[in-house]
Amino acid sequence: MQHGWVRASEQPWVRRAADWVRQVEESYAPYLTDFLTPRERYLAESVARGAGIHVEAFGGYDGAERVRLLLLPEPWPTSPQDFEIRALHVVAPEGAFSHGDVLGSLLGLGLKRASVGDIAIAAPLQAYVFVTKPVARYLQDAWARVGRTPVIAQAVDEIPPLPPPPYEPKEIFVVSPRMDAVVAQACQMSRKDAQSLVASGRVELNHAEAPPDAEVRPGDVLSVRGFGRVRVLETVGQSKSGRWIVRVGVLRSRREVR
């Protein structure tokens, strides 16, 4: 099955989502995904809803960026428990850690990125990490350090208010939906500077390297080293002058980035 609205590199992933849909249709039972990125969520929801499958999403708290999807044959009532997510409160008795430190530590333990949702740094010595239930049980026994910093990880039911990443909404006008054009307008820099950043590998598309001429699509996240992140929300259309109107969210670098 080929979908013209996705990149060639995403076709295998879309076929995987289509397999989930077939499983729901054939078994008439829900299917729960791993944690998905915004782009993966967009693709999976598009495939599921195109087949008439109902979709619910949850990432452990309201506004989570990485979420698990529950695919349902009918719009049944759901609850947070159905998503099988556990929150771990991670505390360092001394020292400090960043988002990157925590993620690197988890991957160093052999975890797959898809089993870990958002990582919210609540203070220099505290973080809330959202994971699948089996992973939570493992981490409470095996996770003792973030880098060189000793930590204690405990599953918690009560979570303090965790605001979503404060993306600043913007509408930008670009000649084309290429990465460098979007970066230039969203980050308020010259097209030449944006092209240099992309060419040097300092801009990632959905947390991976991408060619300089890659075009952005709804759900994409651009990570711009030294600036922050740009989340592509919607391609609105074209202006009278022929420029593309793209709605984005801009998140400047800060310690609490998820």
Side-chain angles (χ1 to χ4, degrees), residues 93-166:
E94 57 183 22
F97 47 66
S98 67
H99 174 279
D101 296 332
V102 175
L103 179 57
S105 175
L106 293 171
L107 298 181
L109 290 173
L111 298 187
K112 294 181 179 180
R113 185 63 180 95
S115 65
V116 181
D118 281 5
I119 299 169
I121 305 299
L125 305 179
Q126 295 185 58
Y128 288 88
V129 181
F130 297 86
V131 297
T132 59
K133 279 189 174 181
V135 166
R137 289 192 289 269
Y138 166 69
L139 289 178
Q140 288 183 91
D141 295 329
W143 197 16
R145 289 181 177 276
V146 171
R148 297 182 178 180
T149 303
V151 296
I152 300 170
Q154 293 184 328
V156 294
D157 294 321
E158 297 295 327
I159 305 167
L162 297 174

Side-chain angles (χ1 to χ4, degrees), residues 38 85 128 150 240:
I85 297 171
Y128 288 88
K240 292 181 179 179

Side-chain angles (χ1 to χ4, degrees), residues 230-249:
V230 178
R231 184 171 176 180
V232 182
L233 304 175
E234 181 183 7
T235 300
V236 179
Q238 286 185 289
S239 66
K240 292 181 179 179
S241 63
R243 289 176 175 263
W244 289 94
I245 307 170
V246 181
R247 188 168 293 127
V248 301

